[in-house]
């Protein structure tokens, strides 16, 4: 049932919202994830697929390994929008992208996959708990060229003219989620729409400062109304004389509807939930992507303490020469060298949750390999002994329970794999193995399905 004061801007929407929502996933090309069999590809996202039915995703190790992400097909349009933005910027060795309202991470991971090699992504979330979920999902996706921050977008005013692309999936009145989220129906009022529009203008004003001249802003909401979409585009074009609308120009057969420069994904016309999106450039897009600091950039006023980074930690990376490896308060982290100076500078100005890929935690003389390293594409696969486990062992590991290893398993740190893809670390002591899976990530539910789910082959 829709809110009593809600007036649908699209014919047939109410009937469509009474139908069951579709289910879709996006596979991770960076990890060589297999293509699901017998499913339909999302036309605007080649890595996206509609499933015939919803699977018990929580109990699929492949999801926890970052081989795929459960995401509504409508939201996958950001992958195409980022590719269009990159094309407009022209050839570049790498692009600096900010996803400003990023949790839980679906649009961020889609953006990562759409960027050219050598790019870097900053993902921000206002709420601390949601920022933690964002950091977990990005760690599972595996890119080392990321940092996660939390806080108000006003902080990004300090980073004037920094980002090549800004993605802003702004907080909204949630009309596009009426079918999936009863709370969205309960909280909706005409007043909420206006409150959201005011907040959205504040967010845009903050982020416009951080976008470099010639850069591209991708704005989206999960709502239908004009105040948060078409009128927001009009406000941007009126407020900022340098702003230029960039049409998405999607094929008609995809089912999206464009009104006054804003493209809508409407249930009943597409297999997905409600979403609106538009793109604007900050002046004429150009190829002046000159981002990236010098390799091995130093923090101001400090000398890099080389001795505090154990050699073993460097040896765990596939190409350690490509990274600036640092000891940050007992955490050994690796940053792509060309972005190191810039990322470290941003980390001082922002409330940083994660920076690059965490390799290890130092405990006394020991370096404990991180779960983030296990799931990172930066991991050197022959750095640790590996044991490929069966489904029941994989689930026990993900529940942070005890696991049993083969008798001939070497002592020390061992990388567990499932389907030959990394799952995480244990420390084999001989008579037992310590489970090193992060406690905050563990599966809490006890309702294990009778058969293992197979979302991807």
């Amino acid at each position: 049932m829709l809110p009593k004061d809600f007036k649908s801007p699209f014919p047939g929407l109410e009937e469509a919202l009474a139908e069951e929502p579709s289910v879709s996933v996006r596979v991770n090309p960076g990890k060589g994830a297999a293509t699901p069999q017998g499913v339909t590809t999302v036309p605007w996202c080649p890595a996206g697929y509609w499933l015939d039915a919803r699977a018990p995703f929580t109990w699929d190790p492949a999801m926890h390994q970052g081989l795929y992400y459960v995401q509504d097909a409508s939201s996958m349009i950001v992958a195409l929008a980022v590719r269009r933005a990159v094309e407009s910027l022209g050839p570049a060795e790498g692009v600096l992208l900010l996803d400003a309202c990023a949790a839980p991470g679906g649009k961020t991971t889609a953006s990562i996959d759409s960027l050219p090699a050598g790019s870097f992504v900053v993902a921000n979330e206002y709420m601390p708990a949601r920022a933690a979920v964002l950091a977990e999902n990005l760690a599972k996706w595996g890119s080392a060229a990321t940092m996660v921050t939390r806080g108000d977008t006003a902080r990004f005013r300090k980073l004037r003219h920094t980002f090549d692309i800004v993605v802003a999936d702004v907080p909204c009145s949630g009309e596009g989620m009426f079918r999936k989220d009863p709370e969205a129906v309960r909280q909706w009022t005409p007043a909420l729409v206006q409150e959201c529009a005011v907040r959205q203008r504040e967010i845009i004003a903050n982020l416009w400062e951080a976008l470099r001249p010639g850069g591209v802003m991708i704005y989206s909401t999960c709502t239908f109304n004009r105040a948060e979409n078409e009128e927001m585009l009009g406000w941007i074009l009126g407020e900022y004389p340098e702003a230029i609308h960039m049409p998405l120009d999607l094929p008609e057969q995809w089912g999206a509807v464009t009104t006054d420069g804003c493209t809508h994904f409407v249930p009943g016309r597409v297999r997905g939930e409600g979403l609106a999106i538009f793109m604007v450039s900050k002046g004429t897009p150009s190829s002046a992507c000159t981002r990236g600091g010098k390799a091995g950039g130093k923090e101001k006023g400090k000398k890099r303490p080389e001795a505090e980074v154990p050699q073993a930690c460097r040896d765990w990376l596939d190409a350690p020469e490509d990274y600036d490896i640092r000891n940050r308060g007992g955490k050994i982290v690796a940053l792509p060298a060309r972005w190191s100076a810039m990322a470290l500078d941003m980390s001082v100005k922002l409330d940083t949750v994660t920076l690059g890929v965490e390799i290890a935690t130092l405990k006394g003389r020991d370096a404990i390999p991180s779960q983030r390293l296990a799931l990172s594409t930066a991991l050197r696969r022959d750095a640790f002994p590996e044991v490929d486990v069966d489904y029941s062992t994989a689930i026990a590991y993900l529940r942070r329970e005890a696991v049993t290893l083969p008798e001939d398993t070497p002592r020390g740190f061992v990388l567990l794999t499932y389907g030959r893809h990394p799952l995480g670390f244990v420390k084999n002591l001989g008579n037992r193995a310590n489970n090193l899976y992060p406690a905050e990530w563990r599966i809490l539910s006890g309702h294990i399905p009778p058969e293992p789910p197979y979302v991807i082959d």
Side-chain angles (χ1 to χ4, degrees), residues 353-403:
V353 179
T354 63
L355 186 63
V357 58
E358 180 184 296
I359 303 174
T361 299
L362 297 184
K363 290 189 176 180
R365 296 182 178 180
D366 294 330
I368 314 298
S370 169
Q371 177 68 16
R372 288 174 166 82
L373 174 66
L375 299 179
S376 174
T377 55
L379 171 69
R380 182 164 67 86
R381 283 295 297 269
D382 62 355
F384 298 91
E386 294 188 7
V387 173
D388 200 57
V389 300
D390 60 15
Y391 178 73
S392 61
T393 303
I395 291 301
Y397 179 77
L398 294 170
R399 296 181 69 182
R400 213 165 185 267
E401 297 172 348
V403 296

Side-chain angles (χ1 to χ4, degrees), residues 252-283:
E252 184 177 346
Q253 61 266 31
W254 288 1
V257 180
T258 299
T259 58
D260 295 332
C262 184
T263 299
H264 289 268
F265 287 73
V266 183
R269 305 189 185 205
V270 300
R271 290 179 64 184
E273 302 311 293
L275 180 136
I277 187 170
F278 62 76
M279 300 170 60
V280 290
S281 65
K282 191 174 184 178

Side-chain angles (χ1 to χ4, degrees), residues 279-456:
M279 300 170 60
V280 290
S281 65
K282 191 174 184 178
T284 304
S286 67
S287 60
C289 293
T290 56
R291 297 290 168 259
K294 296 180 180 179
K298 307 292 193 296
E299 292 172 285
K300 294 181 180 180
K302 295 182 180 179
K303 184 177 180 180
R304 180 176 170 180
E306 297 283 356
E308 295 184 16
V309 178
Q311 181 60 42
C313 294
R314 303 180 189 279
D315 296 340
W316 294 343
L317 294 178
D318 189 42
E321 66 277 7
D322 293 341
Y323 295 92
D324 179 11
I325 305 172
R326 292 175 174 250
N327 181 345
R328 291 174 61 85
K331 300 285 187 182
I332 307 300
V333 300
L335 278 163
R338 72 176 297 252
W339 294 103
S340 175
M342 177 171 286
L344 289 167
D345 181 62
M346 285 193 290
S347 72
V348 175
K349 299 174 181 177
L350 304 170
D351 186 358
T352 302
V353 179
T354 63
L355 186 63
V357 58
E358 180 184 296
I359 303 174
T361 299
L362 297 184
K363 290 189 176 180
R365 296 182 178 180
D366 294 330
I368 314 298
S370 169
Q371 177 68 16
R372 288 174 166 82
L373 174 66
L375 299 179
S376 174
T377 55
L379 171 69
R380 182 164 67 86
R381 283 295 297 269
D382 62 355
F384 298 91
E386 294 188 7
V387 173
D388 200 57
V389 300
D390 60 15
Y391 178 73
S392 61
T393 303
I395 291 301
Y397 179 77
L398 294 170
R399 296 181 69 182
R400 213 165 185 267
E401 297 172 348
V403 296
T404 301
L405 301 177
E407 291 184 3
D408 59 350
T409 303
R411 296 196 180 198
F413 297 113
V414 175
L415 178 66
L416 301 188
T417 63
Y418 178 74
R420 302 299 175 185
H421 292 281
L423 183 67
F425 290 112
V426 297
K427 186 173 184 180
N428 184 27
L429 302 177
N431 58 336
R432 60 186 175 86
N434 288 345
N435 189 331
L436 301 182
Y437 195 68
E440 64 274 18
W441 291 10
R442 70 192 187 280
I443 298 174
L444 297 176
S445 173
H447 301 288
I448 303 176
E451 297 292 334
Y454 291 103
V455 175
I456 60 175

